[in-house]
Amino acid sequence: QVQLQESGPGLVKPSQTISLTCTVSSGSISSNYYYWSWIRQPPGKGLEWIGYIDYRDNTYYNPSLKSRASISRDTSKNRYSLQLTSVTPEDTAVYYCAVTIDSYNGMDYWGKGTLVAVSS
């Protein structure tokens, strides 16, 4: 039903910013009760929720990343973005965008993910 596609640089230097965009097809990011998340998975580790932006432009973040993460949207282009600042090699991960519809039952739809390596 909903298709999502991550895009952005695959390599970022330490101390700089990871900037990613999720382009949404077959669905509107303004649809009521849709919650648009970013999630990541470091190599060999589990999934970590970063945060989400909702249909009314409210944002919520994992407390462990709140100081460094920022999520925003561009409704005219039906996409939303993640900026993660002051990165270190520990931020290396596959980054996913995903959406929850109506109520939380895990994520309803996922992008395929994009690998971002933080390395000098």
Short mmCIF file of all heavy atoms in Angstrom, two decimals, residues 8-69:
data_model
loop_
_atom_site.label_atom_id
_atom_site.label_comp_id
_atom_site.label_asym_id
_atom_site.label_seq_id
_atom_site.Cartn_x
_atom_site.Cartn_y
_atom_site.Cartn_z
N GLY A 8 20.40 9.26 0.27
CA GLY A 8 21.38 10.11 0.92
C GLY A 8 22.77 9.52 0.78
O GLY A 8 22.94 8.42 0.26
N PRO A 9 23.78 10.24 1.24
CA PRO A 9 25.16 9.76 1.11
C PRO A 9 25.40 8.47 1.88
O PRO A 9 24.87 8.28 2.97
CB PRO A 9 25.99 10.91 1.71
CG PRO A 9 25.09 12.10 1.66
CD PRO A 9 23.71 11.57 1.85
N GLY A 10 26.22 7.61 1.30
CA GLY A 10 26.57 6.37 1.96
C GLY A 10 27.78 6.45 2.86
O GLY A 10 28.06 5.50 3.59
N LEU A 11 28.49 7.57 2.82
CA LEU A 11 29.68 7.75 3.64
C LEU A 11 29.71 9.16 4.20
O LEU A 11 29.56 10.13 3.46
CB LEU A 11 30.94 7.50 2.80
CG LEU A 11 32.28 7.62 3.51
CD1 LEU A 11 32.41 6.55 4.60
CD2 LEU A 11 33.42 7.50 2.52
N VAL A 12 29.89 9.27 5.50
CA VAL A 12 29.94 10.55 6.20
C VAL A 12 31.15 10.55 7.13
O VAL A 12 31.45 9.54 7.75
CB VAL A 12 28.65 10.80 7.00
CG1 VAL A 12 28.73 12.12 7.76
CG2 VAL A 12 27.43 10.81 6.08
N LYS A 13 31.81 11.69 7.22
CA LYS A 13 32.98 11.78 8.09
C LYS A 13 32.58 12.03 9.54
O LYS A 13 31.57 12.67 9.82
CB LYS A 13 33.90 12.90 7.61
CG LYS A 13 34.55 12.63 6.27
CD LYS A 13 35.47 13.77 5.88
CE LYS A 13 36.19 13.46 4.58
NZ LYS A 13 37.10 14.56 4.19
N PRO A 14 33.38 11.53 10.49
CA PRO A 14 33.11 11.81 11.90
C PRO A 14 33.02 13.30 12.18
O PRO A 14 33.73 14.10 11.57
CB PRO A 14 34.32 11.19 12.62
CG PRO A 14 34.77 10.10 11.71
CD PRO A 14 34.54 10.63 10.32
N SER A 15 32.13 13.64 13.08
CA SER A 15 31.80 15.01 13.51
C SER A 15 30.84 15.72 12.56
O SER A 15 30.32 16.78 12.92
CB SER A 15 33.04 15.88 13.73
OG SER A 15 33.52 16.44 12.52
N GLN A 16 30.59 15.14 11.40
CA GLN A 16 29.70 15.79 10.45
C GLN A 16 28.26 15.30 10.63
O GLN A 16 27.91 14.77 11.69
CB GLN A 16 30.22 15.58 9.03
CG GLN A 16 31.61 16.20 8.86
CD GLN A 16 31.98 16.51 7.44
OE1 GLN A 16 31.70 15.73 6.52
NE2 GLN A 16 32.60 17.66 7.24
N THR A 17 27.41 15.52 9.65
CA THR A 17 25.98 15.27 9.77
C THR A 17 25.51 14.25 8.76
O THR A 17 25.82 14.36 7.56
CB THR A 17 25.18 16.58 9.58
OG1 THR A 17 25.54 17.51 10.61
CG2 THR A 17 23.68 16.32 9.65
N ILE A 18 24.78 13.25 9.24
CA ILE A 18 24.05 12.34 8.36
C ILE A 18 22.75 13.02 7.95
O ILE A 18 21.98 13.44 8.81
CB ILE A 18 23.76 11.00 9.05
CG1 ILE A 18 25.06 10.23 9.30
CG2 ILE A 18 22.78 10.16 8.23
CD1 ILE A 18 24.88 8.99 10.16
N SER A 19 22.53 13.13 6.67
CA SER A 19 21.31 13.74 6.15
C SER A 19 20.66 12.79 5.17
O SER A 19 21.24 12.48 4.12
CB SER A 19 21.63 15.09 5.49
OG SER A 19 20.45 15.74 5.06
N LEU A 20 19.47 12.32 5.51
CA LEU A 20 18.76 11.34 4.70
C LEU A 20 17.36 11.82 4.38
O LEU A 20 16.76 12.58 5.15
CB LEU A 20 18.67 10.00 5.43
CG LEU A 20 20.00 9.33 5.79
CD1 LEU A 20 19.74 8.13 6.69
CD2 LEU A 20 20.75 8.91 4.54
N THR A 21 16.84 11.34 3.28
CA THR A 21 15.49 11.68 2.86
C THR A 21 14.70 10.41 2.58
O THR A 21 15.25 9.45 2.02
CB THR A 21 15.51 12.57 1.60
OG1 THR A 21 16.14 13.82 1.91
CG2 THR A 21 14.10 12.85 1.10
N CYS A 22 13.45 10.41 2.98
CA CYS A 22 12.53 9.31 2.68
C CYS A 22 11.46 9.84 1.73
O CYS A 22 10.70 10.74 2.10
CB CYS A 22 11.90 8.76 3.94
SG CYS A 22 10.78 7.37 3.65
N THR A 23 11.42 9.29 0.54
CA THR A 23 10.41 9.66 -0.43
C THR A 23 9.28 8.65 -0.37
O THR A 23 9.51 7.44 -0.42
CB THR A 23 11.00 9.72 -1.84
OG1 THR A 23 12.04 10.71 -1.88
CG2 THR A 23 9.93 10.11 -2.85
N VAL A 24 8.06 9.15 -0.24
CA VAL A 24 6.89 8.29 -0.05
C VAL A 24 6.07 8.23 -1.33
O VAL A 24 5.75 9.27 -1.92
CB VAL A 24 6.01 8.82 1.10
CG1 VAL A 24 4.76 7.97 1.26
CG2 VAL A 24 6.81 8.84 2.39
N SER A 25 5.75 7.03 -1.76
CA SER A 25 4.89 6.80 -2.91
C SER A 25 3.67 6.03 -2.45
O SER A 25 3.69 5.34 -1.44
CB SER A 25 5.63 6.00 -3.98
OG SER A 25 6.82 6.65 -4.38
N SER A 26 2.60 6.13 -3.21
CA SER A 26 1.36 5.41 -2.92
C SER A 26 0.84 5.70 -1.52
O SER A 26 0.39 4.81 -0.79
CB SER A 26 1.55 3.90 -3.11
OG SER A 26 1.99 3.61 -4.41
N GLY A 27 0.91 6.96 -1.13
CA GLY A 27 0.45 7.39 0.17
C GLY A 27 0.89 8.82 0.41
O GLY A 27 1.86 9.28 -0.18
N SER A 28 0.18 9.52 1.28
CA SER A 28 0.47 10.92 1.58
C SER A 28 0.98 11.06 2.99
O SER A 28 0.39 10.52 3.94
CB SER A 28 -0.79 11.77 1.40
OG SER A 28 -0.57 13.09 1.87
N ILE A 29 2.06 11.82 3.17
CA ILE A 29 2.59 12.03 4.52
C ILE A 29 1.68 12.93 5.35
O ILE A 29 1.90 13.06 6.56
CB ILE A 29 4.03 12.58 4.51
CG1 ILE A 29 4.10 13.97 3.86
CG2 ILE A 29 4.96 11.60 3.81
CD1 ILE A 29 5.45 14.64 4.04
N SER A 30 0.67 13.52 4.74
CA SER A 30 -0.30 14.32 5.47
C SER A 30 -1.54 13.54 5.88
O SER A 30 -2.43 14.10 6.51
CB SER A 30 -0.72 15.53 4.63
OG SER A 30 0.38 16.37 4.33
N SER A 31 -1.61 12.27 5.53
CA SER A 31 -2.77 11.46 5.88
C SER A 31 -2.96 11.37 7.38
O SER A 31 -2.00 11.14 8.12
CB SER A 31 -2.64 10.05 5.29
OG SER A 31 -2.66 10.08 3.88
N ASN A 32 -4.18 11.53 7.83
CA ASN A 32 -4.49 11.48 9.26
C ASN A 32 -4.07 10.17 9.90
O ASN A 32 -4.30 9.09 9.34
CB ASN A 32 -5.98 11.69 9.49
CG ASN A 32 -6.42 13.13 9.36
OD1 ASN A 32 -7.58 13.44 9.60
ND2 ASN A 32 -5.52 14.01 9.00
N TYR A 33 -3.43 10.28 11.06
CA TYR A 33 -3.04 9.13 11.88
C TYR A 33 -1.93 8.30 11.27
O TYR A 33 -1.81 7.11 11.55
CB TYR A 33 -4.26 8.28 12.25
CG TYR A 33 -5.36 9.10 12.86
CD1 TYR A 33 -6.55 9.33 12.18
CD2 TYR A 33 -5.18 9.69 14.11
CE1 TYR A 33 -7.55 10.11 12.74
CE2 TYR A 33 -6.17 10.48 14.66
CZ TYR A 33 -7.35 10.68 13.98
OH TYR A 33 -8.34 11.46 14.54
N TYR A 34 -1.11 8.93 10.44
CA TYR A 34 0.10 8.32 9.93
C TYR A 34 1.30 8.89 10.69
O TYR A 34 1.39 10.11 10.88
CB TYR A 34 0.27 8.57 8.44
CG TYR A 34 -0.56 7.69 7.53
CD1 TYR A 34 -1.92 7.52 7.74
CD2 TYR A 34 0.04 7.03 6.45
CE1 TYR A 34 -2.68 6.72 6.90
CE2 TYR A 34 -0.72 6.23 5.61
CZ TYR A 34 -2.07 6.08 5.83
OH TYR A 34 -2.82 5.29 4.99
N TYR A 35 2.21 8.02 11.10
CA TYR A 35 3.37 8.39 11.90
C TYR A 35 4.61 7.90 11.18
O TYR A 35 4.81 6.69 11.02
CB TYR A 35 3.26 7.78 13.30
CG TYR A 35 1.97 8.15 13.99
CD1 TYR A 35 0.80 7.45 13.74
CD2 TYR A 35 1.91 9.23 14.87
CE1 TYR A 35 -0.40 7.80 14.35
CE2 TYR A 35 0.72 9.59 15.49
CZ TYR A 35 -0.43 8.86 15.22
OH TYR A 35 -1.61 9.22 15.84
N TRP A 36 5.46 8.81 10.77
CA TRP A 36 6.56 8.52 9.86
C TRP A 36 7.88 8.47 10.63
O TRP A 36 8.37 9.49 11.10
CB TRP A 36 6.61 9.58 8.76
CG TRP A 36 5.31 9.69 8.03
CD1 TRP A 36 4.26 10.51 8.33
CD2 TRP A 36 4.90 8.92 6.90
NE1 TRP A 36 3.23 10.31 7.43
CE2 TRP A 36 3.59 9.34 6.55
CE3 TRP A 36 5.51 7.92 6.13
CZ2 TRP A 36 2.90 8.79 5.47
CZ3 TRP A 36 4.82 7.38 5.06
CH2 TRP A 36 3.53 7.82 4.74
N SER A 37 8.45 7.29 10.73
CA SER A 37 9.61 7.04 11.58
C SER A 37 10.91 6.89 10.81
O SER A 37 10.93 6.57 9.62
CB SER A 37 9.41 5.75 12.39
OG SER A 37 8.51 5.94 13.46
N TRP A 38 11.98 7.10 11.56
CA TRP A 38 13.32 6.67 11.16
C TRP A 38 13.80 5.65 12.19
O TRP A 38 13.64 5.84 13.40
CB TRP A 38 14.30 7.84 11.12
CG TRP A 38 14.11 8.73 9.94
CD1 TRP A 38 13.48 9.93 9.90
CD2 TRP A 38 14.59 8.50 8.61
NE1 TRP A 38 13.52 10.47 8.63
CE2 TRP A 38 14.20 9.60 7.82
CE3 TRP A 38 15.31 7.45 8.00
CZ2 TRP A 38 14.49 9.70 6.45
CZ3 TRP A 38 15.60 7.55 6.64
CH2 TRP A 38 15.20 8.66 5.89
N ILE A 39 14.37 4.56 11.68
CA ILE A 39 14.91 3.48 12.51
C ILE A 39 16.26 3.11 11.94
O ILE A 39 16.49 3.22 10.73
CB ILE A 39 13.98 2.24 12.49
CG1 ILE A 39 12.55 2.60 12.90
CG2 ILE A 39 14.53 1.13 13.38
CD1 ILE A 39 11.62 2.81 11.72
N ARG A 40 17.18 2.65 12.78
CA ARG A 40 18.48 2.22 12.27
C ARG A 40 18.89 0.89 12.88
O ARG A 40 18.40 0.49 13.93
CB ARG A 40 19.55 3.28 12.52
CG ARG A 40 19.89 3.48 13.99
CD ARG A 40 20.96 4.56 14.13
NE ARG A 40 21.40 4.71 15.51
CZ ARG A 40 22.32 5.57 15.91
NH1 ARG A 40 22.90 6.38 15.03
NH2 ARG A 40 22.65 5.63 17.20
N GLN A 41 19.83 0.22 12.20
CA GLN A 41 20.36 -1.05 12.67
C GLN A 41 21.86 -1.09 12.42
O GLN A 41 22.30 -1.28 11.28
CB GLN A 41 19.68 -2.23 11.99
CG GLN A 41 20.10 -3.57 12.54
CD GLN A 41 19.24 -4.71 12.05
OE1 GLN A 41 18.97 -5.65 12.78
NE2 GLN A 41 18.78 -4.62 10.82
N PRO A 42 22.66 -0.91 13.48
CA PRO A 42 24.11 -1.04 13.31
C PRO A 42 24.48 -2.46 12.93
O PRO A 42 23.75 -3.41 13.25
CB PRO A 42 24.66 -0.67 14.69
CG PRO A 42 23.56 0.09 15.36
CD PRO A 42 22.30 -0.51 14.83
N PRO A 43 25.63 -2.66 12.27
CA PRO A 43 26.03 -4.01 11.89
C PRO A 43 26.08 -4.96 13.09
O PRO A 43 26.68 -4.64 14.11
CB PRO A 43 27.43 -3.81 11.30
CG PRO A 43 27.43 -2.39 10.82
CD PRO A 43 26.58 -1.65 11.81
N GLY A 44 25.42 -6.09 12.97
CA GLY A 44 25.42 -7.10 14.02
C GLY A 44 24.60 -6.76 15.24
O GLY A 44 24.64 -7.51 16.22
N LYS A 45 23.84 -5.67 15.20
CA LYS A 45 23.05 -5.26 16.35
C LYS A 45 21.57 -5.16 16.00
O LYS A 45 21.17 -5.36 14.86
CB LYS A 45 23.57 -3.93 16.90
CG LYS A 45 25.00 -4.00 17.39
CD LYS A 45 25.47 -2.69 17.98
CE LYS A 45 26.91 -2.79 18.47
NZ LYS A 45 27.38 -1.50 19.05
N GLY A 46 20.76 -4.85 17.00
CA GLY A 46 19.33 -4.78 16.82
C GLY A 46 18.86 -3.44 16.28
O GLY A 46 19.62 -2.49 16.11
N LEU A 47 17.56 -3.38 16.04
CA LEU A 47 16.94 -2.15 15.56
C LEU A 47 16.86 -1.11 16.66
O LEU A 47 16.61 -1.43 17.82
CB LEU A 47 15.54 -2.44 15.04
CG LEU A 47 15.43 -3.35 13.81
CD1 LEU A 47 13.98 -3.78 13.61
CD2 LEU A 47 15.95 -2.63 12.58
N GLU A 48 17.08 0.14 16.29
CA GLU A 48 16.96 1.26 17.22
C GLU A 48 16.07 2.32 16.60
O GLU A 48 16.38 2.86 15.53
CB GLU A 48 18.34 1.84 17.54
CG GLU A 48 18.28 3.01 18.53
CD GLU A 48 19.64 3.60 18.82
OE1 GLU A 48 20.49 3.66 17.91
OE2 GLU A 48 19.87 4.00 19.98
N TRP A 49 14.97 2.64 17.27
CA TRP A 49 14.08 3.69 16.80
C TRP A 49 14.71 5.05 17.05
O TRP A 49 15.19 5.33 18.16
CB TRP A 49 12.73 3.57 17.51
CG TRP A 49 11.76 4.65 17.18
CD1 TRP A 49 11.10 4.85 16.01
CD2 TRP A 49 11.31 5.68 18.07
NE1 TRP A 49 10.28 5.95 16.10
CE2 TRP A 49 10.39 6.48 17.35
CE3 TRP A 49 11.60 6.02 19.39
CZ2 TRP A 49 9.76 7.58 17.91
CZ3 TRP A 49 10.97 7.11 19.96
CH2 TRP A 49 10.07 7.87 19.23
N ILE A 50 14.72 5.89 16.05
CA ILE A 50 15.32 7.22 16.16
C ILE A 50 14.26 8.27 16.53
O ILE A 50 14.46 9.08 17.44
CB ILE A 50 16.01 7.63 14.85
CG1 ILE A 50 17.15 6.65 14.54
CG2 ILE A 50 16.54 9.06 14.95
CD1 ILE A 50 17.69 6.77 13.13
N GLY A 51 13.14 8.26 15.82
CA GLY A 51 12.09 9.21 16.09
C GLY A 51 11.04 9.17 14.99
O GLY A 51 11.15 8.40 14.05
N TYR A 52 10.01 10.02 15.13
CA TYR A 52 9.02 10.12 14.07
C TYR A 52 8.48 11.53 13.94
O TYR A 52 8.60 12.35 14.85
CB TYR A 52 7.87 9.11 14.25
CG TYR A 52 6.88 9.36 15.37
CD1 TYR A 52 5.91 10.36 15.29
CD2 TYR A 52 6.87 8.53 16.49
CE1 TYR A 52 4.98 10.55 16.30
CE2 TYR A 52 5.95 8.72 17.51
CZ TYR A 52 5.00 9.73 17.40
OH TYR A 52 4.08 9.91 18.41
N ILE A 53 7.88 11.77 12.79
CA ILE A 53 7.11 12.98 12.56
C ILE A 53 5.70 12.55 12.20
O ILE A 53 5.51 11.61 11.43
CB ILE A 53 7.76 13.86 11.46
CG1 ILE A 53 7.03 15.21 11.35
CG2 ILE A 53 7.80 13.14 10.11
CD1 ILE A 53 7.86 16.26 10.61
N ASP A 54 4.71 13.21 12.78
CA ASP A 54 3.35 12.77 12.54
C ASP A 54 2.64 13.65 11.52
O ASP A 54 3.21 14.59 10.97
CB ASP A 54 2.57 12.63 13.86
CG ASP A 54 2.15 13.96 14.49
OD1 ASP A 54 2.25 15.03 13.87
OD2 ASP A 54 1.69 13.90 15.65
N TYR A 55 1.38 13.33 11.30
CA TYR A 55 0.59 13.96 10.25
C TYR A 55 0.29 15.43 10.53
O TYR A 55 -0.16 16.14 9.64
CB TYR A 55 -0.70 13.18 10.06
CG TYR A 55 -1.52 13.05 11.32
CD1 TYR A 55 -2.64 13.85 11.52
CD2 TYR A 55 -1.18 12.14 12.31
CE1 TYR A 55 -3.39 13.75 12.68
CE2 TYR A 55 -1.92 12.04 13.47
CZ TYR A 55 -3.02 12.85 13.65
OH TYR A 55 -3.76 12.74 14.81
N ARG A 56 0.53 15.88 11.76
CA ARG A 56 0.33 17.28 12.12
C ARG A 56 1.65 18.02 12.33
O ARG A 56 1.68 19.11 12.89
CB ARG A 56 -0.56 17.39 13.36
CG ARG A 56 -1.94 16.78 13.11
CD ARG A 56 -3.03 17.46 13.87
NE ARG A 56 -3.12 16.98 15.24
CZ ARG A 56 -4.22 16.97 15.96
NH1 ARG A 56 -5.36 17.44 15.43
NH2 ARG A 56 -4.20 16.53 17.20
N ASP A 57 2.75 17.40 11.90
CA ASP A 57 4.07 17.99 11.94
C ASP A 57 4.68 18.01 13.35
O ASP A 57 5.62 18.75 13.61
CB ASP A 57 4.04 19.41 11.35
CG ASP A 57 5.38 19.86 10.80
OD1 ASP A 57 6.16 19.01 10.31
OD2 ASP A 57 5.66 21.07 10.85
N ASN A 58 4.16 17.18 14.24
CA ASN A 58 4.78 17.01 15.55
C ASN A 58 5.91 15.99 15.45
O ASN A 58 5.81 15.02 14.70
CB ASN A 58 3.77 16.51 16.57
CG ASN A 58 2.63 17.48 16.76
OD1 ASN A 58 2.83 18.65 17.06
ND2 ASN A 58 1.40 16.99 16.58
N THR A 59 6.97 16.20 16.20
CA THR A 59 8.09 15.27 16.22
C THR A 59 8.32 14.70 17.61
O THR A 59 8.08 15.36 18.62
CB THR A 59 9.38 15.93 15.73
OG1 THR A 59 9.64 17.12 16.48
CG2 THR A 59 9.29 16.27 14.25
N TYR A 60 8.83 13.47 17.64
CA TYR A 60 9.15 12.76 18.87
C TYR A 60 10.41 11.97 18.64
O TYR A 60 10.60 11.40 17.56
CB TYR A 60 8.00 11.83 19.28
CG TYR A 60 6.70 12.56 19.50
CD1 TYR A 60 5.85 12.84 18.43
CD2 TYR A 60 6.34 13.00 20.77
CE1 TYR A 60 4.67 13.54 18.63
CE2 TYR A 60 5.16 13.69 20.97
CZ TYR A 60 4.33 13.96 19.90
OH TYR A 60 3.16 14.65 20.10
N TYR A 61 11.28 11.93 19.65
CA TYR A 61 12.58 11.31 19.48
C TYR A 61 12.91 10.34 20.60
O TYR A 61 12.47 10.50 21.75
CB TYR A 61 13.67 12.39 19.44
CG TYR A 61 13.49 13.38 18.33
CD1 TYR A 61 12.90 14.62 18.57
CD2 TYR A 61 13.90 13.08 17.04
CE1 TYR A 61 12.73 15.54 17.54
CE2 TYR A 61 13.73 13.99 16.01
CZ TYR A 61 13.14 15.22 16.26
OH TYR A 61 12.97 16.13 15.25
N ASN A 62 13.70 9.34 20.26
CA ASN A 62 14.32 8.48 21.24
C ASN A 62 15.19 9.36 22.14
O ASN A 62 16.03 10.11 21.64
CB ASN A 62 15.18 7.44 20.53
CG ASN A 62 15.78 6.41 21.44
OD1 ASN A 62 16.08 6.68 22.62
ND2 ASN A 62 15.97 5.21 20.92
N PRO A 63 14.98 9.31 23.46
CA PRO A 63 15.77 10.18 24.34
C PRO A 63 17.28 10.07 24.16
O PRO A 63 17.99 11.06 24.36
CB PRO A 63 15.34 9.73 25.75
CG PRO A 63 13.96 9.21 25.56
CD PRO A 63 13.98 8.54 24.21
N SER A 64 17.76 8.90 23.79
CA SER A 64 19.20 8.71 23.62
C SER A 64 19.76 9.47 22.42
O SER A 64 20.97 9.68 22.34
CB SER A 64 19.53 7.22 23.49
OG SER A 64 19.09 6.70 22.25
N LEU A 65 18.90 9.89 21.51
CA LEU A 65 19.33 10.58 20.30
C LEU A 65 18.73 11.96 20.14
O LEU A 65 19.04 12.67 19.18
CB LEU A 65 18.99 9.73 19.06
CG LEU A 65 19.72 8.41 18.94
CD1 LEU A 65 19.07 7.54 17.87
CD2 LEU A 65 21.19 8.64 18.62
N LYS A 66 17.89 12.36 21.06
CA LYS A 66 17.14 13.61 20.95
C LYS A 66 18.02 14.83 20.73
O LYS A 66 17.66 15.75 19.98
CB LYS A 66 16.27 13.81 22.18
CG LYS A 66 15.27 14.95 22.06
CD LYS A 66 14.39 15.04 23.30
CE LYS A 66 13.23 16.01 23.10
NZ LYS A 66 13.68 17.38 22.81
N SER A 67 19.17 14.86 21.38
CA SER A 67 20.04 16.02 21.27
C SER A 67 20.69 16.17 19.91
O SER A 67 21.16 17.25 19.56
CB SER A 67 21.12 15.98 22.36
OG SER A 67 22.01 14.91 22.14
N ARG A 68 20.73 15.09 19.13
CA ARG A 68 21.43 15.11 17.85
C ARG A 68 20.53 14.91 16.64
O ARG A 68 20.97 15.14 15.52
CB ARG A 68 22.51 14.02 17.83
CG ARG A 68 23.59 14.21 18.87
CD ARG A 68 24.79 13.33 18.56
NE ARG A 68 24.50 11.92 18.71
CZ ARG A 68 24.74 10.99 17.77
NH1 ARG A 68 25.27 11.35 16.61
NH2 ARG A 68 24.47 9.72 18.03
N ALA A 69 19.31 14.45 16.84
CA ALA A 69 18.42 14.10 15.72
C ALA A 69 17.39 15.19 15.46
O ALA A 69 16.89 15.83 16.37
CB ALA A 69 17.72 12.78 16.01
#
